[in-house]
Amino acid sequence: MKEILDAVLAPDSTAADFAALKLPASYRAVTVHKDEAEMFAGLETRDKDPRTSLHLDEVPVPEIGPGEALIAVMASSVNYNSVWTSIFEPVSTFAFLERYGRQSPLGRRHDLPYHVIGSDLSGVVLRTGPGVNKWQPGDRVVAHCLSVELESADGHNDTMLDPEQRIWGFETNFGGLAEIALVKSNQLMPKPEHLSWEEAAAPGLVNSTAYRQLVSRNGAGMKQGDNVLIWGASGGLGSYATQFALAGGATPICVVSSAEKAEICRRMGAEAVIDRSAEGYRFWRDERTQDPREWKRFGGRIRELTGGEDVDIVFEHPGRETFGASVYVTRKGGTIVTCASTSGYTHEYDNRYLWMSLKKIVGSHFANYREAWEANRLIAKGKIHPTLSRTYSLADTGQAAYDVHRNLHHGKVGVLALAPEEGMGVTDPVLREQHLTSINLFRDASAGRAGTAHGKDNR
C-alpha cells in the first residue's frame, strides 16, 4: 500500500504511473463476520455495541469486472446503515450478499463469510474494468452508493426503481471503510477540489438522500417560501436538509435534542429552532399509546415560530417516535416525506389527519444517478458544505459507529483510510478560503464541546 500512497501524495503522478502500480494481494478493511450474526441475540437495540462486532481485517483484493473500478480509499465516513450492519438489524446484511450471490457469476464474489462495509469514499482510481471510458487511473473521485444493474426497463426513468437496485457497502460487499474499494464506475463523481479527503467523503450518502427527499420532484419538491419541519436538524441527514432549505428559499423549522445542537442550527442560518428535550415533548404516553395533546402542543409551537403557519413539508427520518406528530402538524395538502426510521420501522398515525386534510406521505430512498450528481455538484460549487465534526482512524471505526448509534455526535463522523492525517487532498485553496467558516462549522462545534480541536488547522 505504500507505493499507492506515495503515488497519491506525489504532485506529479500521471495516469500511466497509477496504471503501472502493482496491486497488493490484500488490504485492510472494516468487516462484520457471518458466524457472529447472532452475537447480539436477546439484547435491546440500544445495548448492541458496534465495537464488538466490527473488525479490522486483512482481506483479498476482489476481482474487477466489466464496468467496475478499484479505488484507493483515502477517507470514508460512518452512516446509519453502517450501524445497522454492525448490530445486524433489521436483518443481517449477509442475507443481502447471499441474494446478490445468486444473481450472476460476478455477483457471487460478494457472497463471502465477511462483509466489508461502508457507503462513502473519497479516493483515487487504481484500475478500471472493461467498458469503462470516462474514468482512468489517477482520477480523484468520490462515490455515491447506488449500485444498479440497469438491465430492467423499470429503472430507466429512475434508477432507484431498478429491481436490482442496491446500496453499495450495505447490500453489496467491498465497501468504503477500507483501504481499497470495488465500485461500479457509474458510482464515481469528481472529488470537490476545495475539500480535504475526509471532508469530501462525508456528504455522499446523506447529501444525496436529503436532495432527493426534499428538493427532487421524486421527493417533496420543495419550493421557495415553504415551511419545512426538519427532525434531527443538526444530524448527519438533517444538517444537509437544513442547508437545502436555506439555500432554496424555504424556512427550516429545526428540531433538535439539545441546546448545543440548537446553536449549530442557528450558526447554519436557521432562525426557527425547537429543542424538544428542553421543551419536554413526549409524543408517547407509553409503549403503545401516543398522546395527541402533545401533537397539538407541538403544532402550536411551530405556529409561534412561523407567524401562524403550519408546515408544508415534514422531513421525516426518526420514524416510529415522531411519525404521528409529523402527520398531525403538516398543513392541509402538505407532504410528509420519509426515509430511514431510526427509532423504529412501524409507523402509527391518526389517518383522519391524513385523509380528511388531503396530506401525502412520500417514501424516499437514497437518490438516482442524476440526483446524486446534482447533489455533489452543489458541494463542489460551495453551495452546500460538508458537516464533518470528527474524524477517526480506520482502526477506531467501531468507536465511530458506537458514537453514531448512541447519538453522541454532531453532523457526520469521518474515517481516515489511506490518508495519513487530516487536511490533505485540497487542490483549490482559493475556493476553500471563501467557505472555510462553513466547512469548519461542525468541527468547531465538536471541538468546543470536547475542549480540543480535531485535526490540524483544517486548511
Side-chain angles (χ1 to χ4, degrees), residues 322-388:
T322 58
F323 204 80
S326 293
V327 171
Y328 180 85
V329 301
T330 306
R331 73 160 177 83
K332 190 170 186 175
T335 300
I336 304 97
V337 60
T338 178
C339 77
S341 298
T342 53
S343 70
Y345 308 103
T346 303
H347 297 188
E348 298 179 24
Y349 61 92
D350 188 328
N351 197 45
R352 291 172 296 178
Y353 298 114
L354 186 81
W355 123 64
M356 296 181 72
S357 293
L358 293 87
K359 303 176 186 180
K360 298 179 288 294
I361 296 173
V362 176
S364 187
H365 182 41
F366 188 59
N368 63 33
Y369 282 159
R370 186 62 194 175
E371 290 160 344
W373 268 82
E374 291 291 348
N376 186 63
R377 176 173 172 266
L378 292 172
I379 295 283
K381 290 171 72 69
K383 303 294 186 183
I384 302 294
H385 306 288
T387 61
L388 184 70

Side-chain angles (χ1 to χ4, degrees), residues 253-267:
I253 298 90
C254 298
V255 186
V256 294
S257 59
S258 72
E260 284 179 296
K261 294 179 178 182
E263 180 58 26
I264 289 174
C265 292
R266 293 188 181 98
R267 290 179 63 191

Side-chain angles (χ1 to χ4, degrees), residues 426-439:
V426 175
T427 54
D428 187 345
V430 175
L431 182 61
R432 180 178 184 80
E433 190 63 33
Q434 294 173 18
H435 299 291
L436 191 60
T437 299
S438 296
I439 292 168

Side-chain angles (χ1 to χ4, degrees), residues 198-222:
E198 66 276 8
E199 292 161 355
L205 185 150
V206 286
N207 184 49
S208 299
T209 299
Y211 183 92
R212 180 182 176 105
Q213 191 173 351
L214 191 56
V215 179
S216 170
R217 62 186 179 185
N218 290 313
M222 183 191 73

Side-chain angles (χ1 to χ4, degrees), residues 112-142:
L112 296 169
Y114 60 87
H115 184 184
V116 180
I117 71 170
S119 299
D120 281 324
L121 70 72
S122 64
V124 177
V125 176
L126 290 176
R127 294 285 191 278
T128 58
V132 178
N133 300 304
K134 180 177 178 60
W135 305 101
Q136 61 180 337
D139 286 344
R140 292 176 165 225
V141 295
V142 293

Side-chain angles (χ1 to χ4, degrees), residues 293-309:
R293 293 173 302 179
E294 285 291 87
W295 299 348
K296 187 173 183 179
R297 183 166 77 94
F298 185 59
R301 180 71 175 117
I302 291 170
R303 288 178 175 179
E304 289 177 9
L305 294 169
T306 60
E309 297 180 337

